[in-house]
Amino acid sequence: MKLTRLTAGTPSTLRPYLWHYFSALMVLLICTALPTPAHAQQLDGEVEALLKKIDNDEANYEKKPVPPSSVDAINLDVHWRLFKRVSQSDSAGVKEIQAFTRDGISLGYRNFPAYSTAVQAVTTGKMERGEITQQDASRLYESARALAPDLPYPAFAYSAHLMRHNLGRLPAIVSLYLDGVQLGYTWLDTRIPWGLKLASLALLAFLGASLLFLFAQLLRNFGILAYDFSRVLPTGFSSNQTVILAVAMVIVPGLLLRSSLLSALIMLAVLSLVQNHRERFVTALIFGALLALPTMDQYLSKQITWPGSEAQRVFHAQYLGCDSTCEDALEQSWLDAGGEDPVLTYANAFLKYRSGTPAELENLLGMLDEVKQWPAEMRPSVDNLRGATLVALARPDEAIVHLEAARAATQKGSEPTRAAASFNLMRAHQMNDDRGSATAAYDDAIRIDLGALRSHLALERRDVNSFLIVNPLPSDVFWQRHQAQAQEVVSIATPVWRSLAGPNLPIERTPLLGGVGILFVLLGLPLTLGRRTSTPCPHCGMARDPRDAPKTGDHRYCLPCYQTFVSGASLEYSARVHNEKVSGRRERFQEFLRRALSLLMPGTGHCQAGHAVFGFLVIFGTLFGIALLWRPMGIWRAPHELFSVNWAAQESIAWVLISIGASIGLSAALRGIRPTQISAPKGAKQNQPTRGSHV
């Protein structure tokens, strides 16, 4: 099978095979991602055992207030010291970590990132030294996940551990990795720095791809543009004079404004007059990126200013815990807002719930009542908090109304809150001794989100933080708050723009440049549709004049190539030999150019051959992979990358992108790329060449 068949617009035998390969890959991914039957049976048995235990505990059906936690904070230090002592011996220390987790939940703490990272480091070290079995290591990694259920780091660490030591658990590896990706998106301290990094690297890769695309278009279409330009100039202009005039029209505006980028953009816009539809689409995409650059820069600025912001402090207070200084600061902020700020009201009410005393719980209900209108994205969390508080005060009938409302929520990302509301609803029905409704609510909680309930299913303490579940606000609430409050502007694109565009073309002018460029591309579209512009000859690369269409029968070749290879019998022998020699030299040069460009940067040769969309994507993917390997992290580093340089397998993903680009580039360099060619009008007959294998 020849590569030329893939680019000539003719049916290809490769497409069915590609579809088969893609289908097989998707089936493989689905099979490996789904849990195994043994895993499902084990999970069902675990759930049934916990359900039976909860149902048989008569203390759960007592209608009396739920007391606050009886655990002292010093217990956490004791458990941790005991774990460190035990971990230095032959024991794994799983029981000590589990006791630490249970006491932390009882005190109202949700995540322990530092302790979780320490457990991961200890487990990894013991595995490398052979001091622990794989089973104990898995239990420790599970304990590390329980210490920080909202963070992605433990899930990625556990997935990497299984990948290194137990490849047979491929479904668990895939599931843990996907869980890590989902948690990484939810956890703002990971999503924001990684979003900033990926966006910055993507912009740099897009810039590089745009410059290489412009270079390839100059090699392909500038001669065509100069030829068409000479057609509209008065008689007497030589080809050299036409080229000089065209170059001057492009360069002079940039020289006047001292902006090389302006000249490049003018050149790209002018080249669009003779581009095919694929090339014109990429050109419009580049100008569209210019149009959206200020908006993207503002969004990146808000990501840069997230660390240390007020929204991040409130986010940490709910997800990581809050000491006395933090509590005083939150309460003062709430008072300064007049008690009407919904986020601050919930944050302070959430802290009062953690204390669990009846007085604080009553005060909590009063705080929630002071807010007249809760935002829609916060209502499920508020209803669940209010319902859990009423259950803790032994008022289950009032609680059921609010918990049912929280369970019926349909907002995006409300699954953990709905699961918690169903769990608390079970507790309310248990207080009313309604065992059937309690079982139904428990089943509903498991159906909605079993992962959100795992840490509470086996807890035996009867305190507000262990007996009931109250979640912090969804992370998107804090990001939206930061976007609304962020006043400081830190531009990440301005320094790069100034270095390219010069001092006289500010970044505020990019929407104007992008809009004018897109308008120019659209205005030139009728010229292409009406076949009024020349096109590159797929054989020699010279201009195919549309005025020669009657002579060639709308053939894809230019007139000299048509007369030489299609209707050569009409030429004299010496003229035909000369044309073959000249056209063959041009053809070999064009083919060498495409191969060389593909070898130097994959995708560039495809852009020079007219396959602009595919070539641009290959260039972008390759450059993005190289930038991802560079991984400077720039402005802000994701916390866990201080301990792992290949967090979330970024190096593996980068190498995959680079390998794909390198494979495409080497294949194109070895096998060649067939250039695009103009299609004949409907009903027109294409004559075949009389000799050679040029098509």
Side-chain angles (χ1 to χ4, degrees):
M1 182 186 62
K2 295 183 178 181
L3 180 64
T4 55
R5 296 189 63 187
L6 302 179
T7 59
T10 57
S12 170
T13 58
L14 183 59
R15 291 177 182 174
Y17 292 101
L18 286 177
W19 174 249
H20 293 161
Y21 295 151
F22 177 77
S23 301
L25 179 61
M26 293 303 298
V27 171
L28 177 63
L29 291 176
I30 292 174
C31 292
T32 55
L34 290 176
T36 61
H39 175 71
Q41 293 175 3
Q42 179 183 1
L43 184 62
D44 291 341
E46 175 188 353
V47 172
E48 290 294 336
L50 290 172
L51 176 59
K52 184 176 180 180
K53 181 179 179 181
I54 292 176
D55 189 56
N56 293 336
D57 190 354
E58 294 298 329
N60 294 331
Y61 295 90
E62 298 177 358
K63 189 175 182 179
K64 60 181 182 180
V66 181
S69 175
S70 59
V71 177
D72 194 279
I74 195 64
N75 290 17
L76 299 179
D77 186 61
V78 172
H79 289 309
W80 183 250
R81 290 177 181 272
L82 185 59
F83 166 74
K84 291 194 298 183
R85 185 184 307 166
V86 171
S87 63
Q88 294 175 359
S89 62
D90 296 335
S91 178
V94 176
K95 294 182 178 179
E96 288 72 21
I97 288 298
Q98 291 176 346
F100 180 96
T101 305
R102 288 193 296 268
D103 285 356
I105 293 175
S106 179
L107 289 170
Y109 293 103
R110 184 176 178 88
N111 294 283
F112 296 92
Y115 291 98
S116 177
T117 304
V119 172
Q120 298 169 42
V122 170
T123 307
T124 303
K126 292 173 77 70
M127 280 297 299
E128 292 176 352
R129 296 188 297 269
E131 299 175 355
I132 191 175
T133 64
Q134 290 188 10
Q135 183 178 2
D136 287 339
S138 297
R139 294 172 64 191
L140 280 175
Y141 277 111
E142 288 287 357
S143 300
R145 292 189 66 192
L147 282 172
D150 294 314
L151 275 68
Y153 316 135
F156 282 126
Y158 192 13
S159 178
H161 162 75
L162 294 178
M163 179 69 74
R164 290 191 297 265
H165 301 287
N166 193 358
L167 195 57
R169 296 186 60 187
L170 188 58
I173 295 172
V174 175
S175 177
L176 286 168
Y177 185 83
L178 295 179
D179 287 345
V181 172
Q182 182 179 3
L183 291 172
Y185 179 80
T186 304
W187 186 250
L188 294 180
D189 284 352
T190 300
R191 182 177 81 186
I192 293 176
W194 264 81
L196 179 62
K197 173 183 179 177
L198 295 180
S200 303
L201 298 184
L203 286 175
L204 289 177
F206 189 88
L207 173 62
S210 301
L211 294 177
L212 289 174
F213 172 76
L214 175 59
F215 175 70
Q217 289 298 290
L218 282 173
L219 296 177
R220 172 179 169 84
N221 288 323
F222 183 75
I224 313 301
L225 177 68
Y227 178 83
D228 280 355
F229 192 35
S230 66
R231 291 166 49 194
V232 300
L233 289 177
T235 305
F237 274 86
S238 65
S239 58
N240 291 335
Q241 291 174 332
T242 303
V243 171
I244 293 174
L245 181 59
V247 171
M249 292 177 62
V250 171
I251 292 181
V252 168
L255 292 177
L256 293 176
L257 293 177
R258 293 187 295 171
S259 174
S260 58
L261 183 61
L262 179 61
S263 297
L265 294 176
I266 295 175
M267 176 62 74
L268 183 61
V270 174
L271 286 174
S272 68
L273 295 174
V274 295
Q275 288 176 337
N276 60 32
H277 297 325
R278 302 183 187 93
E279 296 165 336
R280 197 181 297 270
F281 173 80
V282 175
T283 300
L285 181 65
I286 294 173
F287 283 116
L290 280 178
L291 187 65
L293 184 59
T295 302
M296 292 187 290
D297 193 37
Q298 291 177 5
Y299 185 81
L300 295 178
S301 174
K302 293 177 181 178
Q303 291 181 321
I304 296 173
T305 56
W306 165 258
S309 64
E310 186 265 353
Q312 189 196 42
R313 290 194 295 270
V314 180
F315 171 73
H316 285 173
Q318 294 194 34
Y319 280 88
L320 299 180
C322 196
D323 55 17
S324 57
T325 304
C326 170
E327 291 180 2
D328 294 340
L330 272 181
E331 185 174 7
Q332 187 60 46
S333 299
W334 175 66
L335 293 174
D336 293 341
E340 297 180 356
D341 189 308
V343 175
L344 293 178
T345 300
Y346 186 92
N348 281 274
F350 187 68
L351 295 179
K352 293 183 181 300
Y353 175 84
R354 283 176 173 176
S355 67
T357 62
E360 293 286 20
L361 295 179
E362 292 287 356
N363 190 13
L364 179 159
L365 294 175
M367 293 175 59
L368 297 180
D369 291 336
E370 291 181 4
V371 178
K372 299 178 181 178
Q373 183 68 27
W374 288 96
E377 63 272 13
M378 294 178 58
R379 289 173 192 166
S381 299
V382 173
D383 285 329
N384 181 59
L385 175 58
R386 198 191 302 268
T389 303
L390 292 171
V391 172
L393 294 173
R395 293 153 61 180
D397 294 329
E398 300 177 53
I400 290 175
V401 177
H402 298 286
L403 294 175
E404 288 285 4
R407 191 171 65 164
T410 58
Q411 282 81 359
K412 181 180 178 181
S414 62
E415 287 80 6
T417 302
R418 290 165 54 198
S422 296
F423 185 86
N424 297 334
L425 186 62
M426 175 197 69
R427 296 301 192 189
H429 286 307
Q430 285 177 336
M431 282 191 175
N432 283 337
D433 200 19
D434 187 350
R435 297 176 183 264
S437 299
T439 302
Y442 180 78
D443 291 340
D444 187 62
I446 294 174
R447 178 184 58 81
I448 295 174
D449 192 351
L450 177 61
L453 307 177
R454 282 188 176 276
S455 59
H456 280 76
L457 290 176
L459 297 179
E460 299 179 354
R461 288 194 179 97
R462 197 176 190 275
D463 57 56
V464 292
N465 296 310
S466 303
F467 191 72
L468 301 164
I469 302 179
V470 174
N471 295 327
L473 291 172
S475 58
D476 287 339
V477 172
F478 302 99
W479 176 239
Q480 293 170 5
R481 180 180 181 84
H482 175 66
Q483 288 181 299
Q485 291 182 340
Q487 300 294 332
E488 183 182 5
V489 177
V490 181
S491 175
I492 192 175
T494 299
V496 179
W497 176 264
R498 286 177 179 172
S499 64
L500 295 174
N504 297 324
L505 191 63
I507 195 173
E508 290 78 14
R509 295 288 185 269
T510 54
L512 177 62
L513 295 175
V516 172
I518 293 176
L519 182 62
F520 198 86
V521 171
L522 295 177
L523 290 177
L525 190 59
L527 297 177
T528 303
L529 296 177
R531 297 176 179 267
R532 299 178 183 177
T533 57
S534 301
T535 57
C537 174
H539 183 268
C540 66
M542 301 300 289
R544 175 188 176 276
D545 197 326
R547 295 174 299 182
D548 295 333
K551 302 177 183 178
T552 62
D554 273 320
H555 198 275
R556 57 184 175 272
Y557 281 0
C558 63
L559 182 60
C561 290
Y562 177 82
Q563 293 175 339
T564 303
F565 299 106
V566 179
S567 61
S570 61
L571 292 179
E572 296 182 358
Y573 177 76
S574 58
R576 180 169 182 173
V577 170
H578 175 74
N579 285 356
E580 284 186 354
K581 183 178 180 180
V582 174
S583 297
R585 184 167 57 247
R586 290 172 178 170
E587 180 191 19
R588 289 190 297 271
F589 175 75
Q590 291 292 325
E591 185 173 355
F592 168 77
L593 187 61
R594 291 191 292 269
R595 291 173 184 262
L597 290 175
S598 298
L599 190 62
L600 293 175
M601 173 52 66
T604 312
H606 290 82
C607 290
Q608 199 276 337
H611 308 283
V613 177
F614 179 77
F616 188 85
L617 291 177
V618 172
I619 298 173
F620 175 80
T622 305
L623 292 178
F624 184 76
I626 295 173
L628 194 59
L629 271 184
W630 179 37
R631 66 176 189 281
M633 287 311 300
I635 300 165
W636 183 24
R637 182 181 294 268
H640 196 262
E641 290 197 4
L642 295 171
F643 307 98
S644 174
V645 295
N646 193 25
W647 181 79
Q650 66 173 34
E651 290 184 351
S652 304
I653 296 173
W655 278 116
V656 168
L657 293 175
I658 295 174
S659 300
I660 292 174
S663 300
I664 294 174
L666 290 175
S667 176
L670 294 175
R671 305 178 66 179
I673 308 171
R674 184 169 185 175
T676 58
Q677 54 196 20
I678 189 171
S679 58
K682 293 184 179 180
K685 183 178 179 181
Q686 286 279 346
N687 297 322
Q688 297 299 321
T690 58
R691 57 176 295 176
S693 57
H694 303 283
V695 293

